[in-house]
Amino acid sequence: TMPVFKDASHAPVVPIATDMVSVSIEVSDPDGISSVILYYKPDRAKQSSSLIKARSLLSVTSSVYQEIPMISDIGKNDGYYQYRARIPAHSAHQTVAFYIQATDKNGTIGTWPRDIRSPALYRIEQGRGRFKPELASYRIVMQEDDVREIERRPSLSNQMMNATFIFNETDIYYQVGCRWTGSPYRRG
């Protein structure tokens, strides 16, 4: 059997350019876990020269996935081991995609999310926002290619695009489907 995953998350939920982002997940396999690797990449590999000059020395910009071994930080809980890794800081206004791959002791590989063409996402912000707890806060995080695609497609297309939905700066929902919807008369 392949490894089973649950409770994936990243913190801080809405990072800024100086934050390293901690990714955690619980992994189980009856054959035992041999390795767990976090793969990540920034959405935008090319930046203007002014952004390159302004970015933090800690930031990383790449068009290919980078890998970080995940470390089991606590013992077994309900058959699952918790794994963590930290993604380096990236420049502001950038979306970072990530997925996790686990290999059991028999060499069977599993990934979270299962379809890595729709990875988990988070966006780097310029600074800490003025979140008002009395008002609901909603964020939809998408990769730049998906945003361009959703803007170019026919107005009645029902094809879902990958996104991460963040509610009240605390609750994260990865791999939500996102599309335009509503009356065909509101758009041309």
Side-chain angles (χ1 to χ4, degrees):
T1 62
M2 71 174 58
V4 177
F5 303 87
K6 76 174 188 175
D7 297 337
S9 67
H10 71 270
V13 174
V14 182
I16 62 173
T18 57
D19 289 337
M20 292 184 73
V21 174
S22 177
V23 175
S24 64
I25 194 161
E26 293 184 30
V27 185
S28 178
D29 190 293
D31 300 320
I33 302 296
S34 174
S35 69
V36 180
I37 299 173
L38 170 67
Y39 291 89
Y40 73 93
K41 73 173 182 173
D43 187 36
R44 192 178 67 229
K46 297 179 182 173
Q47 297 179 341
S48 72
S49 59
S50 62
L51 280 175
I52 290 172
K53 289 176 188 173
R55 72 184 178 149
S56 162
L57 293 175
L58 297 173
S59 80
V60 175
T61 302
S62 172
S63 61
V64 297
Y65 278 99
Q66 305 293 314
E67 66 179 69
I68 302 172
M70 298 187 82
I71 306 300
S72 178
D73 62 353
I74 58 175
K76 199 172 191 178
N77 180 18
D78 239 3
Y80 286 83
Y81 290 94
Q82 184 163 15
Y83 287 83
R84 292 188 189 278
R86 294 179 76 186
I87 297 175
H90 286 77
S91 57
H93 309 296
Q94 192 160 359
T95 300
V96 175
F98 69 92
Y99 71 92
I100 297 162
Q101 177 180 291
T103 306
D104 71 11
K105 295 201 178 194
N106 291 333
T108 306
I109 296 173
T111 60
W112 179 92
R114 186 168 293 214
D115 182 0
I116 61 173
R117 294 172 300 172
S118 297
L121 306 167
Y122 65 86
R123 182 161 174 83
I124 311 298
E125 295 300 333
Q126 183 70 35
R128 304 277 182 226
R130 294 184 183 157
F131 175 66
K132 296 182 178 181
E134 64 273 9
L135 299 174
S137 166
Y138 307 94
R139 289 180 188 262
I140 296 174
V141 180
M142 296 177 69
Q143 293 177 302
E144 286 184 19
D145 288 345
D146 290 341
V147 171
R148 280 193 292 276
E149 171 66 24
I150 207 168
E151 289 173 348
R152 283 193 294 241
R153 69 171 59 182
S155 61
L156 296 178
S157 173
N158 285 323
Q159 180 185 353
M160 297 291 227
M161 305 304 288
N162 182 44
T164 294
F165 179 77
I166 299 172
F167 177 69
N168 279 345
E169 313 293 293
T170 57
D171 300 335
I172 309 167
Y173 302 92
Y174 299 109
Q175 286 191 299
V176 298
C178 188
R179 67 176 182 207
W180 293 123
T181 186
S183 170
Y185 302 107
R186 71 180 177 96
R187 298 186 325 242

